[in-house]
Amino acid sequence: MARAAVLGRLTWQLGEVAELIQETPRVSSLVLDVPDWPGHLAGQHVDVRLTAEDGYQAQRSYSIASAPESAQVTLTVERLPDGEVSPYLVGELRTGEKVELRGPIGGYFVWRAGDERPLLLIGGGSGIVPLMAMIRHHAATAAAAPVRLLYSSRSIEDVIYKDELARLTADDTGLAVAHTLTRSQPAGWEGYSRRIDGEMVAEVAWPKKDAPAVFICGPTAFVETASSLLVESGYDPAWIRTERFGATGG
Amino acid sequence: MAFISRGFRGKRRDTASGSRVPPGQHVVDDFPVLSAGPTPRVPLSEWSFSIVGELDEPKTWTWDEFRRLPSETVSVDIHCVTKWSKLDTSWTGVSVETILEGVETAADYAVAYCDGGYTTNLPVDDLRGRQAWIAFEYDGQPLDPEHGGPARLLVPHLYLWKSAKWVRGISLQAEDEPGFWESNGYHNRGDPWREQRYWGD
Ligand SMILES: Cc1cc2nc3c(=O)[nH]c(=O)nc-3n(C[C@H](O)[C@H](O)[C@H](O)COP(=O)(O)OP(=O)(O)OC[C@H]3O[C@@H](n4cnc5c(N)ncnc54)[C@H](O)[C@@H]3O)c2cc1C
């Protein structure tokens, strides 16, 4: 497992849905058995291809949420009501059914447990998915690097992996999580309650003297804001890797 | 034979323009952004564009000199490897053909290099013949930094990662040298019509 980033030719394979986990009202995880999975790195993605009876096809990219150490491949997908592919993956596809995918793809937005620099992860909405693979990889390998996650969601109901993040924080794995809820907050909320800004970043981010490794993922505007704030605060752009989820809303 | 996904019909929003959409792509109306790091910002007074490598003498243009080169406005379809295509996009720029005018070189390969350290490699033939531009306007407006402003390479017949944002120059080379995404699992040439997305496609 976790052998290489991309091995030669990427062919289409069938993954069987072993389990469906509803993470939030709009987001589900698909736990897939992929028989010839070559292994992946934390942060990589797959391409999913759907084919209709008449041959019409649609393809989209989805980040891998599971750690390289996991035997199964987990995707976590947000259902966009008017979308073409996501409402099929979250809503139509059932346990025991199969879906075509190929991967792993991408050798840049990846984190390896051997990297001992302090790690700063900044995620907006479903942008948490590849960051979660890194967090799970970190926990599975008991990696040395301390990790801080700044995670922006609309409301408490929209926080993906809420319980697992709380558990990993409590377990003293070296993970600290700061949540911000941008639209609504439950009574007694003690996290941030606004869109990511300079003050928040200054409070959560590692001081620049620590020369951290930074991964930022989410909608384009979110990634632009977060990465600009870090560069303005003196971070070297070379420390920062970004992934933008393109046409997704949110 | 592809596997049939039970119950999948698809939206088929773009059937009218089907012949203009490469395999595995779908048409979008907005303009998604994709880059590997933060958006660099360079003042125009410090900006320059250069041709370096296998030629008698490197050439450099300041922003003002560059803007005095003959430019043209083109309407092209663009295709991103993340599966979206955008039709009839309008760009203004200087064709690489114009920039290479009078340049004597035996180089077969080129590497475009950029602020932020991004590089991408192309055969020189893909840059010549008025099919590649250094674009500085999108839809009649100065190019947004997010989309590569002040200037980006535009090579619409290849996947959009070849259209390097924040481009600052082209290095002409005898040998092919994989660029940033090309070293990270993406195809060396990236022809969308042959669906050359990844290594081995
Ligand atoms: C590297 C990468 C990793 C990703 N990882 C994840 C992930 O882990 N989880 C995740 O949930 N997503 C992820 N995405 C996003 C994902 O690939 C899809 O873009 C997303 O699921 C939406 O696809 P869709 O087919 O459901 O929607 P689409 O059909 O693509 O539509 C997207 C939105 O645009 C609107 N729209 C598009 N075209 C039109 C049109 N012509 N007319 C009207 N409306 C239109 C739709 O209504 C919808 O709201 C990732 C993207 C990339 C590039």
Side-chain angles (χ1 to χ4, degrees):
Chain A
M1 264 178 284
R3 272 186 293 135
V6 179
L7 301 162
R9 195 179 154 74
L10 289 172
T11 49
W12 291 101
Q13 304 182 52
L14 281 176
E16 182 174 318
V17 182
E19 196 185 346
L20 289 170
I21 304 167
Q22 179 160 11
E23 305 279 4
T24 78
R26 295 186 303 151
V27 176
S28 286
S29 289
L30 288 60
V31 182
L32 303 172
D33 286 323
V34 189
D36 291 319
W37 186 244
H40 66 273
L41 303 172
Q44 290 189 301
H45 65 273
V46 297
D47 280 358
V48 168
R49 177 168 79 178
L50 302 181
T51 305
E53 298 233 5
D54 63 356
Y56 173 85
Q57 293 186 324
Q59 290 184 35
R60 297 291 187 277
S61 300
Y62 292 95
S63 301
I64 302 169
S66 41
E69 290 73 23
S70 156
Q72 291 166 310
V73 177
T74 302
L75 310 181
T76 301
V77 179
E78 174 177 357
R79 181 180 211 274
L80 301 183
D82 300 331
E84 180 162 48
V85 171
S86 62
Y88 181 85
L89 298 177
V90 179
E92 184 71 34
L93 193 65
R94 311 211 184 112
T95 309
E97 290 190 320
K98 294 188 168 122
V99 65
E100 252 186 325
L101 71 152
R102 64 175 187 153
I105 296 158
Y108 182 72
F109 194 82
V110 296
W111 180 78
R112 293 173 177 85
D115 186 343
E116 291 187 1
R117 291 176 294 169
L119 186 56
L120 175 63
L121 308 174
I122 303 183
S126 58
I128 187 69
V129 179
L131 308 181
M132 195 62 189
M134 297 177 190
I135 290 169
R136 287 168 167 166
H137 180 41
H138 182 270
T141 56
V147 190
R148 290 183 184 171
L149 168 68
L150 175 56
Y151 179 14
S152 175
S153 309
R154 291 174 188 167
S155 71
I156 196 77
E157 292 77 29
D158 291 311
V159 178
I160 309 169
Y161 316 125
K162 180 156 51 62
D163 298 342
E164 187 177 346
L165 287 170
R167 199 168 60 242
L168 288 171
T169 310
D171 284 354
D172 230 11
T173 56
L175 171 70
V177 181
H179 286 280
T180 184
L181 301 179
T182 56
R183 292 209 186 152
S184 66
Q185 303 79 29
W189 174 246
E190 289 181 351
Y192 294 108
S193 308
R194 55 185 201 268
R195 283 167 178 266
I196 183 168
D197 58 23
E199 202 187 314
M200 198 185 298
V201 165
E203 284 170 10
V204 176
W206 301 99
K208 65 179 180 210
K209 68 165 174 45
D210 291 350
V214 187
F215 293 86
I216 307 175
C217 185
T220 294
F222 177 88
V223 172
E224 283 295 318
T225 303
S227 57
S228 311
L229 287 170
L230 288 173
V231 172
E232 282 160 23
S233 80
Y235 270 41
D236 183 340
W239 301 340
I240 305 173
R241 299 185 175 202
T242 61
E243 184 130 284
R244 293 151 167 99
F245 274 3
T248 41
Chain B
M1 241 313 277
F3 170 83
I4 307 285
S5 307
R6 179 202 55 80
F8 176 68
R9 262 203 38 76
K11 290 266 177 185
R12 304 168 198 245
R13 299 184 184 105
D14 33 44
T15 41
S17 41
S19 63
R20 290 169 62 185
V21 184
Q25 298 289 112
H26 65 280
V27 173
V28 298
D29 297 328
D30 60 347
F31 193 164
V33 173
L34 204 99
S35 25
T39 297
R41 284 163 214 274
V42 176
L44 292 181
S45 57
E46 287 166 29
W47 187 94
S48 64
F49 187 85
S50 305
I51 302 288
V52 300
E54 302 264 317
L55 71 170
D56 287 344
E57 219 174 307
K59 293 176 103 177
T60 296
W61 294 263
T62 63
W63 178 256
D64 290 334
E65 289 164 350
F66 172 75
R67 290 300 311 273
R68 282 198 292 271
L69 294 173
S71 63
E72 57 198 38
T73 298
V74 293
S75 174
V76 295
D77 301 343
I78 54 178
H79 312 290
C80 177
V81 73
T82 63
K83 322 281 162 10
W84 56 266
S85 292
K86 195 168 167 58
L87 306 183
D88 303 313
T89 59
S90 167
W91 303 81
T92 304
V94 179
S95 75
V96 180
E97 186 74 48
T98 302
I99 289 170
L100 291 180
E101 236 160 61
V103 170
E104 294 276 340
T105 180
D108 287 330
Y109 299 97
V111 172
Y113 59 91
C114 309
D115 281 314
Y118 182 82
T119 57
T120 188
N121 59 311
L122 308 103
V124 171
D125 282 349
D126 274 319
L127 291 173
R128 289 202 184 263
R130 298 205 115 67
Q131 50 178 344
W133 295 267
I134 307 299
F136 51 82
E137 275 180 16
Y138 175 74
D139 226 359
Q141 300 296 321
L143 188 58
D144 224 317
E146 266 179 43
H147 290 302
R152 76 182 292 171
L153 183 60
L154 176 68
V155 195
H157 69 284
L158 300 178
Y159 280 125
L160 206 57
W161 87 78
K162 296 284 185 184
S163 295
K165 297 180 188 183
W166 314 298
V167 69
R168 291 294 292 276
I170 293 172
S171 169
L172 299 170
Q173 327 203 137
E175 310 265 314
D176 196 11
E177 182 187 317
F180 178 83
W181 288 120
E182 293 84 359
S183 308
N184 277 295
Y186 288 80
H187 196 273
N188 200 48
R189 177 136 190 281
D191 180 348
W193 293 99
R194 297 163 72 186
E195 212 173 350
Q196 295 172 334
R197 297 181 193 275
Y198 312 118
W199 292 350
D201 276 354

